[in-house]
Amino acid sequence: MCLRACAVHSGKMVGSLDRKRAELAEKLRLVLAAHATGSAESAQAAPATTPLIRRAAKKVVAGATGSLSGELLDALLAVGNKALECGYGDELRLSLLISDAVLTQRKNSRAGWRLRARTLEAMGDEPATIAAYERYLELTEEDGFGVAPRIAGLRTGGEQQDELLRLLERGCPQASVYADGPATDIWADGVALHDAGDRAGAEARLIGALLAMRGDGSPVTDLQVSIGQYLDLRLAHGGPVEETRQLAALYGEMRRNRQRGPVPDPTFGDVQWLTLGEFRNQIAGKSICLIANSQSVGRGSLGSEIDAYDLVVRFNSYKIDAAATGRRTDIHATIHKHGFNWDQKVTTRLIFGGLSGDWKNSLRNRLVPGAQTYVNDESLRWPLRNIGRVSNDEWAAIPTSGFNMLWLLDFLDASPKLDLIGFDFYESGAYRLKEAMRMPITSVHEYTSEKAWVMERAQSVTDTRISLR
C-alpha cells in the first residue's frame, strides 16, 4: 500500500515547478527504482525447485510477505522527510503513511518514530505528536535533535492555550450557547456580525467557534490560527485593556513555546558574541588542529599530540576518547540543525547555517547557558557563501561544517600552523557519538570537491595528517 501510494504520488509530481516537490519527485524515483531492483532480485533468488525452507538471502527484499529491505526503508524515510518538508496536505498524508509502513517493519525505528512525530505535529495532532516523540526518546540515549525540550514546549503551549480559552469563556458566558455547533458555520456568522457592527453578537459566536474547535478535536494548528485572527479583530476594535493584554501575552507565549520550547535563560549565560574580526584576533598566531569525526581518528593514538596544539577544533557530533582523540575542545563548529555536544563546555562555539531565520531560531532553542564563552554572530553564520561570496554556481553542494571552518581559517590566514587530523572524507567511516552514528552520511555534501580543495592547498600529507601551513 505504501509503495503504491508512492507510485501514485510520483505521477502527481510530473511537471511540478515547485522546487521542493521536484526534489520529492527525485526521492520517489529512487524508492521505485529500489523496489524494482529488490523485486527482480527476489524473483531470481532461488530456482523454483528449491525447497522454500532452504532458500537463503543476504537481505530481505519486497516480496510476498510484505517485508522491505533496509535500503528500501531508508529510501522511504528520505521520501517521508522530503514530503514533510513540502508541507502540503497530500505530502503530509504520504509522510504519515510512510512512517506507519516503516514502524510496521521496524517497531523500534528511531527515525520512523521521529518522522511520525514531526508529521503529526505539522498536521496539528498534538497528543499523538507528544506520544510519538516520547517513544523516540525511550529508544535513544542522546537527544541530539532536542526532542525533550520540544515535548516540554508542546505541553506548555497546550496548557497556555487552555488557559487562554478559559479566560475567553469566563469573559463571555454567552459563547457557551455556540460551543456545540459546527465551528466553521459559527465562525462565519461571527465574522458577518462583526462586519455589520454587532460586536456583542460577533464576540459570542467567535469565541463559541473557538470552543467548538477545542471540543471537536480540531488540529491545534487550525485552532491557533483562529485564535490569532480573533485577537486581531479584538485589538483592532478595542475591548477591556487588561484582559486583552493578558490574552495577547498568553497567545505569544503559546506560539513561542510550541515553536522552540522553553528557554531557561534568554541571555544564554552572559555569552559574548563574536564577529569575524574578533574571531581572527582569537586565533592569530596560534597553532590549530581540526579533528575529523572519522574512524581513522578513533582507531589512532594521537591524543597527546592533538592536545599539544594551541587550539583544538572539533565538529558536530564529535566523540572524545582521550588516547585517540585528545581531551580538549577549544572550538566546537556545528551545523545549527543538530544539537549534539551543545552542552559540552568550550571556549568558542561556531554555529553555521544557511538560512538566517532558522539559524536564529536554533540559537534560541539549543544554546545551553554557560556552556560557551563566545558564540559567532551572523557575520560568521555561513562563511563560504557570506564571506567568500562563493555562489551555488561555483560550488553547488552544501558545504560541510568542516569545510566552512577550514575555508574560514584559510581565508583569515592568521595561524602559523594549520593541521587536519583524520580528514579522509569518511573513507574510513564515521566516528561520532552513539546516537549520531545511526544517522547516514548525508548525500547533500560534495566530499570529493572538498577533498580536492584541501589537497590543492596541502603543504604536506601523511596517513593521519594534512598540513596547510
Side-chain angles (χ1 to χ4, degrees):
M1 180 178 176
C2 178
L3 292 170
R4 184 163 58 249
C6 286
V8 171
H9 208 87
S10 179
K12 296 179 182 178
M13 299 293 100
V14 175
S16 175
L17 299 179
D18 185 303
R19 178 183 61 82
K20 291 181 179 179
R21 279 183 159 167
E23 293 171 353
L24 173 60
E26 175 59 19
K27 298 294 185 185
L28 286 164
R29 186 191 66 78
L30 294 175
V31 160
L32 298 176
H35 173 55
T37 300
S39 298
E41 291 178 0
S42 180
Q44 300 172 8
T49 56
T50 303
L52 183 61
I53 196 170
R54 295 176 55 193
R55 294 180 189 172
K58 292 184 179 180
K59 63 179 181 177
V60 181
V61 296
T65 64
S67 297
L68 302 176
S69 69
E71 179 184 357
L72 188 51
L73 284 173
D74 288 342
L76 281 170
L77 284 168
V79 168
N81 283 298
K82 184 56 67 175
L84 176 60
E85 187 179 321
C86 289
Y88 304 113
D90 286 349
E91 279 72 28
L92 292 179
R93 286 186 286 274
L94 177 64
S95 180
L96 188 61
L97 180 62
I98 287 172
S99 72
D100 287 343
V102 170
L103 292 172
T104 298
Q105 298 289 321
R106 297 179 181 173
K107 65 179 181 179
N108 292 329
S109 168
R110 286 169 293 274
W113 280 110
R114 183 166 174 266
L115 174 62
R116 179 175 177 79
R118 292 168 63 223
T119 304
L120 288 167
E121 184 176 357
M123 297 174 80
D125 189 345
E126 203 157 78
T129 297
I130 292 172
Y133 272 139
E134 286 178 332
R135 182 59 183 145
Y136 168 83
L137 282 183
E138 290 172 1
L139 296 168
T140 190
E141 296 177 6
E142 296 166 3
D143 186 15
F145 293 105
V147 169
R150 193 101 195 103
I151 293 173
L154 292 174
R155 283 196 170 125
T156 302
E159 292 167 0
Q160 289 162 336
Q161 175 180 284
D162 289 342
E163 185 179 351
L164 188 153
L165 292 174
R166 284 195 298 270
L167 185 61
L168 287 174
E169 193 171 11
R170 285 197 303 269
C172 185
Q174 307 93 313
S176 61
V177 175
Y178 306 99
D180 295 327
T184 302
D185 294 343
I186 295 168
W187 182 268
D189 291 343
V191 171
L193 288 172
H194 180 275
D195 292 343
D198 183 356
R199 303 285 170 74
E203 181 87 351
R205 286 166 177 81
L206 292 172
I207 294 175
L210 297 176
L211 299 176
M213 292 179 73
R214 180 186 63 183
D216 66 16
S218 294
V220 296
T221 45
D222 294 348
L223 180 51
Q224 184 168 272
V225 168
S226 297
I227 292 172
Q229 292 171 347
Y230 164 78
L231 289 176
D232 285 342
L233 293 173
R234 181 168 179 143
L235 289 168
H237 299 288
V241 175
E242 186 55 38
E243 183 181 295
T244 301
R245 184 183 294 117
Q246 187 177 358
L247 290 168
L250 278 170
Y251 176 73
E253 284 301 310
M254 174 186 73
R255 294 205 58 151
R256 278 192 289 273
N257 278 303
R258 279 179 170 150
Q259 183 179 16
R260 58 166 172 76
V263 176
D265 183 354
T267 64
F268 306 125
D270 298 323
V271 70
Q272 299 179 49
W273 299 102
L274 199 64
T275 66
L276 175 61
E278 289 165 342
F279 179 68
R280 188 184 190 283
N281 292 339
Q282 191 179 88
I283 66 172
K286 296 179 180 178
S287 62
I288 302 177
C289 67
L290 290 76
I291 312 302
N293 298 339
S294 67
Q295 283 290 340
S296 61
V297 172
R299 291 195 296 260
S301 57
L302 297 177
S304 58
E305 292 184 44
I306 290 170
D307 285 337
Y309 285 80
D310 295 328
L311 295 174
V312 178
V313 182
R314 303 187 196 273
F315 302 96
N316 296 307
S317 53
Y318 68 85
K319 180 180 178 181
I320 293 293
D321 175 2
T325 67
R327 299 178 183 274
R328 283 181 27 239
T329 305
D330 301 294
I331 301 172
H332 177 213
T334 181
I335 189 67
H336 76 91
K337 294 183 178 180
H338 297 161
F340 298 109
N341 288 317
W342 287 47
D343 59 341
Q344 298 301 302
K345 287 186 71 70
V346 296
T347 302
T348 300
R349 201 172 310 278
L350 297 185
I351 300 162
F352 300 135
L355 298 176
S356 177
D358 292 347
W359 175 80
K360 290 175 182 176
N361 185 59
S362 290
L363 261 63
R364 291 288 303 176
N365 190 36
R366 298 187 187 279
L367 273 177
V368 177
Q372 57 280 308
T373 304
Y374 301 96
V375 172
N376 59 297
D377 70 3
E378 196 150 8
S379 67
L380 290 163
R381 171 175 58 81
W382 207 226
L384 183 69
R385 305 290 193 212
N386 296 350
I387 298 171
R389 303 298 179 187
V390 178
S391 68
N392 290 331
D393 292 336
E394 299 173 80
W395 193 282
I398 298 174
T400 62
S401 298
F403 188 66
N404 262 310
M405 186 72 208
L406 180 56
W407 183 93
L408 177 63
L409 293 172
D410 183 72
F411 170 79
L412 292 173
D413 196 19
S415 174
K417 188 172 186 179
L418 182 58
D419 289 348
L420 286 65
I421 295 180
F423 272 71
D424 58 15
F425 304 90
Y426 289 118
E427 291 175 5
S428 64
Y431 182 77
R432 305 182 289 201
L433 291 173
K434 186 176 180 180
E435 179 63 21
M437 286 294 289
R438 302 184 179 106
M439 298 166 54
I441 296 174
T442 179
S443 60
V444 300
H445 304 303
E446 181 46 74
Y447 297 106
T448 302
S449 298
E450 293 187 3
K451 181 178 181 179
W453 187 95
V454 169
M455 300 311 292
E456 286 174 4
R457 291 158 178 78
Q459 301 296 309
S460 67
V461 179
T462 69
D463 289 341
T464 57
R465 197 182 323 247
I466 302 173
S467 297
L468 299 193
R469 298 288 188 277

